[in-house]
Amino acid sequence: MLIISIFDTMEEYRRLPSLETSKKELSVRGDIISSDNFKIATSKKIYKASIDTRFLDTDKKELFVRLFSIYSNIPYKKIVEKIDESLKEPGNLVLSYNIDSKTAKNLKELEFKLRRLDVFKAIKVPGGKILRGLTVSESGEKRVYSYEKTLTPVVGYITKFETQNDKTKVKGIKGLERNYDKLLNSSKDGILSGNRDVLSYISFNRNSTIKQRVDGANLVLNIPLKLQKNNEMILDIYKEKLQAQEIIISVMDSKTGKILSLASSNRFNPEKIYQNDIPSLNVNAIEYQFEPGSVIKPIAISLAIDKNRIKKNELFFAYNNKGNVNKDGEFPKGAYKLDRFTIKDDHQFKKNYLTLDDIFIFSSNIGTLQLAQRLTGPEFYEGMKRFGFTRKTGIDLPYEKIGMIPKVWQFSANDKEKEDNVFKATVSYGQGMTSTFMQILKAYSAFNNDGVTVTPKIVSYVEIDNNKYKEDKIENEKIISTKTANEIKRLLIKTVTQGTGREAQIDGLEIGGKTGTAQIARDGKYQKEYISSFFGFVNDEKSSYTIGVTVIDPISTGKNWYYHYAAWSAVPVFKEIVKNLVRLNYLSPKNDIISN
């Protein structure tokens, strides 16, 4: 009988544990980090807690629910409902997919305690028994935005997806999350495999496999968190004051293209996106195309200067000699007839002939279009293209729009006859074309950088496994001569000291810029809605920044109707941005401007 029993045991199938075992460690998406080392976006592991209700001792169900609720911080009632529903058809039950690492650690301790308390019962199966208790395992990752709305919509947002192994991962949909999605998700799970010892631990030997987990690449930005948050606070204040649809600002290093701040008044929390957040999801600094207005004038004038089409001390007729002077000695506003159109000036002059400085400082449409007519169609077209219009800026964000300018043949009409061209005229003062905020910012960098435009960049470097990687070469382009750039720079400074940008002045700093107020065109018609902008620069003895401000649809009716003018909207915002740079030591004026 003994021999027969031994023989039967040897031949019978038995459920023995495998001699080999393996364990995977889930990797996560890389972080997005500010230049001052704050994590704007990071990923954390999440865990799944589950039980098999076939093994749950129903007499101890109450004890399990109480303990699990305490350890997991999940409401008692919610757990009871799930278990009662599962007990109708007992089987595997997931109690939560979204448990953080700290709670998961506590639940793993609870797992052992529940076994000692016999909360779960073993079930007999052919050849032995099986016991399954509380199981806590990695279920994926969760994207966390520690500073909520800060740096949105630039940082972007993500969506979740399930891998083939039923793990929750994320991928970028907009902003930096989208543009660098492959790098951020370039991760590899860790693997630990080998023979199992009697206590079910992995026994290491030369046949064991150990692969360290590799998380995705980190993005380290050029943008410091403190400067960005301070600028966003300013935009929140001015959006309410101006009752604007949106305000956009950016600060860029004029020599390197590093973006130190790119902020919008319209932001959202990427972890909690609601229906009313949908209009704020786009990065309008690169996706919103609009007629820019008078901020284009310095660009058009620089093309004429660069081709030597303006004589020294030359005077230009203001077309303002029809009518009498007013009590202040000013002639009527100029009116220039071009085909079936009449183009007017906003400013009244005390003279009939204007210098180049007059045209520039007081933003004369008539003076600017006369200069534009001195360029051939191809010269004007290629000059605008060279400044970056109808081209992407190269900024590291997705979905960048390029705007529109007339075709070269449209600019060339009447060239042979040497007659006026309406397309050159309107584009010279920023109408009949569209551009993005970032295109204008890039173009203005030439005036503060010896005629060279820089490529705007948000990410400083990518960090992979503690190694830093930078883009090999960022293309910068010489588009006008240094002499021309310095002449426009002089005029931009004079516009701030004597012209429409006077409110931007700050003692001890070199500041130049140009205002622009344009009507919004919709369905082929101009609306009583405006876009006000101020683009320029600020320099001290060491630093040099190109700064842009655009206010979309500020109030233009009622007692504050004049807020739609750039001098009353974009210029004050520009000044506050510069003050922030001073407060945070990015600029050092010769005189103390913060004492008051």
Side-chain angles (χ1 to χ4, degrees):
M1 289 178 64
L2 176 62
I3 291 170
I4 292 170
S5 177
I6 293 170
F7 181 78
D8 284 345
T9 303
M10 291 171 62
E11 291 295 315
E12 185 182 4
Y13 171 75
R14 292 177 294 165
R15 301 175 69 92
L16 295 173
S18 172
L19 293 177
E20 291 187 358
T21 186
S22 65
K23 180 183 177 184
K24 279 192 175 182
E25 185 182 12
L26 191 70
S27 58
V28 295
R29 186 176 175 90
D31 299 332
I32 299 177
I33 305 168
S34 69
S35 65
D36 44 359
N37 207 32
F38 291 94
K39 288 183 180 179
I40 307 296
T42 188
S43 283
K44 293 183 179 180
K45 286 186 187 181
I46 52 174
Y47 295 79
K48 175 176 69 176
S50 60
I51 60 171
D52 192 323
T53 50
R54 291 174 296 179
F55 297 86
L56 179 64
D57 185 343
T58 52
D59 293 334
K60 295 185 178 180
K61 183 185 80 170
E62 175 71 14
L63 174 62
F64 170 77
V65 174
R66 293 284 181 191
L67 289 173
F68 187 83
S69 177
I70 293 169
Y71 275 74
S72 67
N73 204 30
I74 297 173
Y76 170 88
K77 186 178 179 181
K78 190 174 181 179
I79 302 167
V80 170
E81 288 174 356
K82 284 190 173 186
I83 292 176
D84 287 347
E85 184 64 29
S86 177
L87 285 172
K88 294 176 183 177
E89 292 184 20
N92 190 62
L93 171 65
V94 177
L95 296 166
S96 176
Y97 283 100
N98 193 24
I99 294 170
D100 60 45
S101 56
K102 184 178 179 181
T103 304
K105 183 180 178 182
N106 294 335
L107 288 174
K108 286 178 180 178
E109 292 178 6
L110 176 63
E111 181 183 346
F112 291 105
K113 293 176 182 178
L114 294 172
R115 285 179 181 268
R116 290 201 301 269
L117 293 169
D118 295 326
V119 171
F120 298 96
K121 300 180 298 183
I123 298 177
K124 288 184 180 181
V125 295
K129 293 181 178 180
I130 295 178
L131 175 62
R132 292 178 185 166
L134 174 64
T135 303
V136 182
S137 58
E138 293 176 343
S139 65
E141 65 177 310
K142 178 183 179 182
R143 200 66 168 159
V144 178
Y145 298 88
S146 303
Y147 302 95
E148 298 184 345
K149 296 184 177 184
T150 299
L151 199 56
T152 59
V154 172
V155 72
Y157 61 95
I158 52 86
T159 188
K160 298 176 184 177
F161 69 96
E162 296 296 318
T163 67
Q164 292 179 341
N165 299 323
D166 295 325
K167 303 295 184 186
T168 301
K169 302 288 282 183
V170 302
K171 62 181 178 181
I173 298 298
K174 291 283 283 187
L176 295 172
E177 294 277 27
R178 167 75 179 188
N179 201 62
Y180 290 92
D181 187 61
K182 287 186 178 179
L183 281 168
L184 288 164
N185 266 349
S186 60
S187 58
K188 293 180 181 178
D189 292 343
I191 299 174
L192 199 61
S193 65
N195 292 328
R196 185 198 302 267
D197 64 17
V198 292
L199 295 175
S200 293
Y201 292 111
I202 296 175
S203 178
F204 295 108
N205 55 42
R206 62 185 178 182
N207 296 320
S208 300
T209 301
I210 303 173
K211 287 186 179 179
Q212 294 286 342
R213 145 191 163 194
V214 178
D215 291 335
N218 294 330
L219 306 183
V220 181
L221 311 183
N222 290 314
I223 298 174
L225 177 66
K226 194 168 185 180
L227 177 63
Q228 179 72 15
K229 285 186 75 70
N230 281 13
N231 286 343
E232 288 174 352
M233 287 171 61
I234 287 170
L235 298 192
D236 292 343
I237 293 168
Y238 273 90
K239 182 184 180 183
E240 184 176 350
K241 177 181 178 180
L242 301 173
Q243 298 178 42
Q245 180 181 318
E246 183 177 10
I247 306 176
I248 303 166
I249 70 98
S250 188
V251 179
M252 180 175 71
D253 189 301
S254 300
K255 308 299 180 186
T256 65
K258 290 181 179 179
I259 297 288
L260 274 72
S261 185
L262 178 53
S264 168
S265 60
N266 298 5
R267 304 184 300 280
F268 60 93
N269 183 348
E271 290 186 58
K272 299 174 183 177
I273 297 176
Y274 299 104
Q275 185 75 22
N276 59 2
D277 289 324
I278 291 175
S280 303
L281 300 181
N282 292 339
V283 185
N284 282 337
I286 61 165
E287 295 184 63
Y288 181 69
Q289 302 167 105
F290 61 98
E291 287 193 353
S294 294
V295 292
I296 295 298
K297 289 175 182 174
I299 294 163
I301 292 171
S302 74
L303 295 176
I305 294 174
D306 211 47
K307 293 290 184 182
N308 296 314
R309 304 291 161 80
I310 304 174
K311 297 176 183 177
K312 189 176 181 181
N313 301 323
E314 186 176 359
L315 296 176
F316 303 86
F317 186 42
Y319 291 85
N320 63 348
N321 61 341
K322 293 182 180 180
N324 300 319
V325 297
N326 62 19
K327 61 180 181 179
D328 296 320
E330 297 169 334
F331 287 93
K333 293 179 180 179
Y336 187 96
K337 190 73 174 173
L338 200 162
D339 290 342
R340 57 191 176 88
F341 304 101
T342 300
I343 297 165
K344 296 182 178 181
D345 270 343
D346 282 334
H347 188 79
Q348 289 181 254
F349 295 94
K350 294 181 178 181
K351 51 189 175 181
N352 298 128
Y353 287 87
L354 309 177
T355 64
L356 175 62
D357 286 29
D358 293 329
I359 293 169
F360 198 105
I361 294 166
F362 299 106
S363 198
S364 169
N365 293 334
I366 293 170
T368 304
L369 73 85
Q370 289 182 73
L371 296 175
Q373 301 302 331
R374 297 183 176 190
L375 297 163
T376 66
E379 285 173 338
F380 194 85
Y381 177 80
E382 290 301 329
M384 293 297 289
K385 294 270 287 187
R386 206 164 57 246
F387 262 100
F389 298 101
T390 71
R391 293 193 296 167
K392 290 186 177 182
T393 64
I395 192 170
D396 40 351
L397 285 171
Y399 309 118
E400 183 177 8
K401 301 293 192 298
I402 59 171
M404 176 279 298
I405 61 173
K407 307 296 184 185
V408 63
W409 62 266
Q410 293 174 303
F411 284 129
S412 301
N414 299 335
D415 272 4
K416 289 182 180 178
E417 296 81 4
K418 294 185 178 180
E419 295 177 358
D420 287 344
N421 178 288
V422 69
F423 296 102
K424 281 187 280 192
T426 55
V427 170
S428 72
Y429 51 79
Q431 290 184 359
M433 64 168 288
T434 60
S435 68
T436 66
F437 172 93
M438 194 55 63
Q439 284 177 322
I440 303 168
L441 189 76
K442 178 174 181 173
Y444 266 69
S445 68
F447 306 137
N448 202 31
N449 191 33
D450 298 328
V452 177
T453 56
V454 293
T455 301
K457 285 293 174 186
I458 297 172
V459 173
S460 175
Y461 61 88
V462 175
E463 190 176 62
I464 303 174
D465 199 20
N466 294 322
N467 294 314
K468 298 177 181 179
Y469 298 90
K470 275 193 140 178
E471 194 171 338
D472 289 340
K473 187 179 180 182
I474 297 175
E475 292 296 327
N476 297 330
E477 189 177 357
K478 182 85 170 178
I479 55 171
I480 51 176
S481 68
T482 302
K483 182 181 178 181
T484 299
N486 288 337
E487 175 64 1
I488 299 295
K489 183 176 181 178
R490 177 188 72 81
L491 291 167
L492 288 169
I493 292 170
K494 198 169 181 180
T495 303
V496 169
T497 57
Q498 299 180 28
T500 55
R502 283 190 293 270
E503 289 303 313
Q505 289 183 85
I506 294 176
D507 290 342
L509 295 172
E510 182 180 62
I511 296 176
K514 180 73 184 73
T515 54
T517 303
Q519 283 182 275
I520 295 174
R522 193 180 299 117
D523 300 325
K525 294 181 179 179
Y526 286 109
Q527 311 296 312
K528 289 186 177 180
E529 300 170 7
Y530 300 85
I531 293 179
S532 304
S533 298
F534 187 76
F535 284 84
F537 56 82
V538 57
N539 303 320
D540 65 6
E541 292 180 342
K542 295 180 180 179
S543 303
S544 175
Y545 302 111
T546 302
I547 301 175
V549 178
T550 291
V551 182
I552 301 174
D553 194 19
I555 189 170
S556 57
T557 58
K559 66 176 183 178
N560 295 323
W561 62 271
Y562 51 88
Y563 279 181
H564 74 276
Y565 286 116
W568 289 92
S569 53
V571 173
V573 175
F574 179 96
K575 188 170 186 175
E576 290 300 323
I577 299 302
V578 174
K579 284 183 177 181
N580 264 343
L581 290 169
V582 174
R583 288 188 187 100
L584 298 176
N585 298 317
Y586 293 93
L587 289 168
S588 300
K590 294 176 182 177
N591 304 314
D592 184 9
I593 65 164
I594 303 299
S595 58
N596 293 329

